[in-house]
């Protein structure tokens, strides 16, 4: 069984390629990749963040949202 969480977050995007993970270049730094790695560190399991929007390189955001499913146990 999974627990679904809504997260609300803000960020300064100056040092990021954008909000979404880039499939064409997995080595670029995105907000999604950083948030997923952070959740994985806490829950000790891979997670997939589902974003509610996108931003371009260097763009900042206030009160952006995403959902993440956390496995129980």
């Amino acid at each position: 069984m999974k627990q679904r969480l809504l997260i609300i977050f803000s960020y300064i995007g100056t040092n990021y390629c954008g909000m979404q993970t880039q499939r064409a270049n997995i080595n670029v730094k995105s907000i999604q990749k950083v948030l997923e790695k952070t959740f994985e560190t806490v829950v000790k399991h891979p997670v997939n963040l589902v974003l509610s929007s996108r931003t371009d390189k260097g763009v900042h955001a206030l009160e952006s949202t995403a959902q993440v499913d956390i496995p129980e146990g």
Side-chain angles (χ1 to χ4, degrees):
M1 181 155 249
K2 297 178 185 176
Q3 181 178 23
R4 180 163 287 168
L5 302 177
L6 169 67
I7 60 170
I8 301 170
F9 57 98
S10 301
Y11 60 88
I12 297 172
T14 305
N15 297 320
Y16 297 91
C17 69
M19 192 151 115
Q20 288 183 315
T21 300
Q22 304 292 314
R23 292 183 189 185
N25 186 354
I26 61 171
N27 296 321
V28 296
K29 188 175 178 184
S30 69
I31 301 298
Q32 181 178 10
K33 185 184 285 187
V34 170
L35 288 173
E36 285 175 345
K37 291 292 180 193
T38 302
F39 270 100
E40 289 171 6
T41 300
V42 173
V43 300
K44 308 285 191 262
H45 190 276
V47 298
N48 181 34
L49 201 67
V50 179
L51 304 171
S52 64
S53 62
R54 303 185 313 179
T55 59
D56 292 329
K57 181 178 181 176
V59 174
H60 315 313
L62 295 174
E63 295 187 20
S64 190
T65 59
Q67 76 177 37
V68 63
D69 290 333
I70 306 294
E72 292 183 6

